[in-house]
Amino acid sequence: MSFYIGREASKLWKRICAETTTEINLLAENWKYLLAGLVCQYIHGLAARGVHYLHRPGPTLQDVGFFLLPELGQDKAYISETLFAMIFISFVSWTFHPFILKNRKIYTVLIWCRVLAFLVGSQVLRIITFYSTQLPGPNYHCREGSKLATLPRPDSVLEVLLINFPRGVVYGCGDLIFSSHMIFTLVFVLTYQKYGTRRSLKQLGWLLAVVQSLLIVASRKHYTVDVVVAWYTVNLVVFFIDKKLPELPDRSIAAATLLPLSTKDKDSRTKEENHKLLNGNSGDPVDWRQRTQVNGKIMEDGNTLHADSAMNGA
């Protein structure tokens, strides 16, 4: 039993090392895209912090979702954030599963380049939208009478740049249309829909996205319009950006060039190439196709039928 555990642990360690080497190589090639995406996340947070200075509390707007969904109350507002945290952590864990599991289909660095592109595209539209019109926030801390509904004039530029993280993010007001929580949720679900392997998890992801939408409205974090706009905007953004980005490489094909070979693999590949050379075939996969010689000319498989017809006088 201990021998089996030791052997499996050794395999897992080798898999982690090989995957780490591969991801480091990909990171060296794509670090600029990842850095740009992370910088844009900060800019998005900075914009949300800035619009809080412009927010003016007022009467809560009439909303169909508020009529249909009972208010959870301030003491139960954590339910929405808890579900979002579960979705976020689950997706991040899935993007790193190639380091451990055998049935790996994605590269972690490449999938995050793609995810960040989707997030940035959606967040740019979000910033433009909530700066165009500031609505009175429906959240508890954004209503009239709350000290957090408005921010005093900052004493320094540094106070704005630090965005009072994480309190400034949790208790923000004014960045309503459209929901940032739904941007992340839908981008994660759409990404897993395309690159995930378990159908049941895909269906669960869409179900959680719907539940998340209802909880956001029920906890009065957003108006219903914020969630509705997020649903069709994020889907359209992902659809168009996904068409512009290069497709992720197939791991079954790219593994030979990205993953390091062991000594045993190198020896077997060398023997295979020598065998092909002795039989008159080159190491180029293009030359592996069967050929036919007719009248001193070498014909490929696609021309064999035509050559046979010519010999028979047809």
Side-chain angles (χ1 to χ4, degrees):
M1 184 66 178
S2 59
F3 173 76
Y4 174 77
I5 295 176
R7 185 180 62 181
E8 292 300 317
S10 177
K11 290 181 180 179
L12 177 61
W13 175 248
K14 290 180 180 178
R15 189 181 305 126
I16 293 175
C17 292
E19 196 68 27
T20 301
T21 303
T22 302
E23 294 294 344
I24 289 176
N25 293 334
L26 292 173
L27 182 61
E29 298 175 1
N30 299 278
W31 67 270
K32 295 180 180 178
Y33 304 110
L34 291 174
L35 180 61
L38 294 176
V39 170
C40 287
Q41 296 306 301
Y42 169 74
I43 294 175
H44 173 256
L46 190 64
R49 175 69 171 178
V51 79
H52 196 168
Y53 289 100
L54 303 176
H55 178 257
R56 295 294 178 266
T60 303
L61 302 179
Q62 185 174 350
D63 189 280
V64 65
F66 294 175
F67 285 112
L68 298 177
L69 296 174
E71 190 171 352
L72 288 178
Q74 196 168 0
D75 57 332
K76 298 180 180 179
Y78 69 91
I79 298 177
S80 174
E81 292 297 328
T82 302
L83 178 60
F84 177 75
M86 290 174 55
I87 295 173
F88 190 95
I89 294 173
S90 298
F91 180 80
V92 172
S93 302
W94 171 74
T95 61
F96 285 92
H97 83 274
F99 287 87
I100 299 176
L101 302 181
K102 293 181 180 180
N103 56 341
R104 46 191 184 269
K105 184 181 178 182
I106 62 171
Y107 293 105
T108 303
V109 169
L110 298 183
I111 203 70
W112 274 108
C113 287
R114 213 171 190 87
V115 168
L116 287 172
F118 298 152
L119 291 176
V120 170
S122 301
Q123 289 166 344
V124 168
L125 295 178
R126 180 174 189 262
I127 293 173
I128 296 173
T129 306
F130 66 64
Y131 266 103
S132 299
T133 303
Q134 288 85 46
L135 303 178
N139 210 335
Y140 306 105
H141 63 270
C142 298
R143 299 175 184 177
E144 289 181 302
S146 173
K147 296 180 180 180
L148 300 174
T150 57
L151 290 179
R153 186 173 180 178
D155 297 328
S156 63
V157 178
L158 187 62
E159 182 181 340
V160 179
L161 295 178
L162 293 179
I163 66 176
N164 193 20
F165 185 85
R167 183 178 177 83
V169 176
V170 176
Y171 293 101
C173 297
D175 55 328
L176 292 175
I177 301 176
F178 42 96
S179 171
S180 179
H181 284 65
M182 290 309 302
I183 289 178
F184 281 90
T185 299
L186 291 173
V187 166
F188 293 164
V189 172
L190 288 167
T191 302
Y192 188 81
Q193 176 69 31
K194 183 174 182 179
Y195 298 106
T197 56
R198 294 182 179 273
R199 184 180 179 183
S200 58
L201 292 181
K202 295 179 182 180
Q203 295 172 343
L204 177 62
W206 286 112
L207 177 61
L208 292 179
V210 173
V211 174
Q212 177 73 71
S213 302
L214 299 176
L215 287 176
I216 287 175
V217 177
S219 60
R220 304 303 188 253
K221 296 179 183 297
H222 281 275
Y223 293 107
T224 305
V225 65
D226 306 338
V227 175
V228 172
V229 172
W231 267 92
Y232 62 75
T233 302
V234 175
N235 276 278
L236 289 173
V237 168
V238 171
F239 175 78
F240 286 108
I241 292 182
D242 187 61
K243 285 185 173 297
K244 297 295 182 181
L245 295 176
E247 190 51 75
L248 293 183
D250 185 359
R251 293 209 61 157
S252 60
I253 299 175
T257 58
L258 290 176
L259 292 177
L261 295 175
S262 62
T263 306
K264 183 178 179 180
D265 294 333
K266 291 180 180 179
D267 294 340
S268 61
R269 177 169 289 188
T270 303
K271 292 179 181 179
E272 183 180 357
E273 291 177 352
N274 291 336
H275 178 71
K276 292 171 183 175
L277 291 174
L278 290 175
N279 291 334
N281 294 331
S282 66
D284 190 350
V286 177
D287 295 329
W288 294 352
R289 294 170 293 185
Q290 183 178 359
R291 299 168 183 266
T292 306
Q293 186 170 353
V294 179
N295 294 333
K297 296 182 180 181
I298 298 178
M299 310 292 291
E300 295 188 6
D301 288 342
N303 298 326
T304 303
L305 180 61
H306 178 72
D308 292 340
S309 301
M311 291 178 63
N312 296 327

